[in-house]
Amino acid sequence: MKHSTVSVLRSIVYQIFARSLLDENRRLREELQRVSDVALTDALTGLFNRRALDDAMTAIDDGAKARGDKKRRPRRTPETYGFLAADLCRFKAVNDRFGHGGGDEALRAVAKAIRRSIREDDQRVFRPGGDEFVVLLYDVDIEESRVVAERIIRNIEAIPVWDLSARIGGAVWNLGEHPTANPYDVLKLADDLEVELRNEGRVGEADIRNFA
């Protein structure tokens, strides 16, 4: 009888200990996920930050290089990537008129407007810093990328109070045509096109081209 009681007690203690370990492991996983999310998220807007963009670019580069290696090739890789580099127009006037607090509110509103413009299940928005945004699109052609860019501009211009617009440079990378290209070179083309629009004083416009 004593032996049976001891066995039952041991079993109960074991179950309690095992459950507590599972709970602790779950708590640690949740905490690690929270820390990871914080590390990759822009605190002001909730968008992905510069570090997340760098991680995404590295993953894209690794996937592109692995396409020609049957052992390393992922089961599913996009055939094309679209990079949109967006810069706000008249944002300085918002800061001048409403102060940095108003500027922060405007940036949060812009982040929501961009999110409404994309499919968040397979497209990503990053805020590298300031009033600059990067949108990463998967399996799109130049026309589809232009549609997204123009939708982003319209949604930003529809934000009340701030009187903002945007200019967007975009580049579409076809991995089949340019398998050895670097994603940073594609993003640079998008950035360069946005800078051209800015230098020409063009507001509310998008220039999207194929990477070649």
Side-chain angles (χ1 to χ4, degrees):
M1 184 69 177
K2 288 184 178 179
H3 178 74
S4 176
T5 302
V6 170
S7 296
V8 170
L9 288 173
R10 283 178 175 174
S11 177
I12 292 173
V13 170
Y14 174 81
Q15 291 178 32
I16 293 173
F17 182 67
R19 190 176 299 115
S20 66
L21 281 178
L22 288 174
D23 291 342
E24 179 64 13
N25 286 338
R26 187 179 301 110
R27 187 191 68 78
L28 287 173
R29 285 197 302 271
E30 290 173 353
E31 181 65 15
L32 285 172
Q33 184 62 51
R34 186 190 68 79
V35 171
S36 176
D37 289 344
V38 169
L40 299 176
T41 302
D42 173 49
L44 178 63
T45 63
L47 301 177
F48 290 113
N49 60 16
R50 164 68 71 178
R51 179 176 173 182
L53 177 59
D54 287 338
D55 287 351
M57 298 293 272
T58 298
I60 291 170
D61 191 38
D62 290 344
K65 291 176 179 176
R67 282 170 59 88
D69 187 335
K70 292 183 179 180
K71 293 182 179 179
R72 295 176 56 219
R73 181 171 183 170
R75 292 182 180 178
R76 172 73 177 90
T77 56
E79 294 300 319
T80 62
Y81 289 99
F83 295 84
L84 303 180
D87 180 65
L88 296 183
C89 305
R90 300 190 289 269
F91 181 68
K92 183 178 182 302
V94 171
N95 271 333
D96 291 343
R97 181 179 177 186
F98 298 99
H100 290 296
D104 288 348
E105 286 296 322
L107 288 172
R108 281 190 281 265
V110 168
K112 292 179 181 178
I114 297 177
R115 278 177 160 166
R116 288 196 303 271
S117 307
I118 68 167
R119 304 188 310 267
E120 286 200 84
D121 57 334
D122 64 349
Q123 298 174 347
R124 298 288 180 267
V125 187
F126 305 83
R127 180 183 172 235
D131 60 342
E132 298 178 352
F133 299 85
V134 172
V135 181
L136 176 59
L137 311 173
Y138 300 84
D139 287 318
V140 292
D141 59 25
I142 192 169
E143 290 304 321
E144 290 168 328
S145 299
R146 182 176 289 109
V147 167
V148 174
E150 291 175 349
R151 186 188 306 133
I152 289 172
I153 292 171
R154 288 197 306 271
N155 286 342
I156 290 175
E157 291 178 341
I159 299 172
V161 180
W162 310 114
D163 187 32
L164 290 170
S165 186
R167 56 178 68 88
I168 298 177
V172 177
W173 174 24
N174 186 313
L175 276 71
E177 296 177 1
H178 304 282
T180 61
N182 185 301
Y184 281 102
D185 291 335
V186 185
L187 180 56
K188 184 178 184 303
L189 172 58
D191 279 329
D192 290 345
L193 292 171
E194 184 277 315
V195 170
E196 284 184 19
L197 291 172
R198 188 193 319 165
N199 291 341
E200 294 170 4
R202 294 159 66 184
V203 175
E205 295 187 36
D207 187 355
I208 315 297
R209 304 184 191 181
N210 286 314
F211 177 82

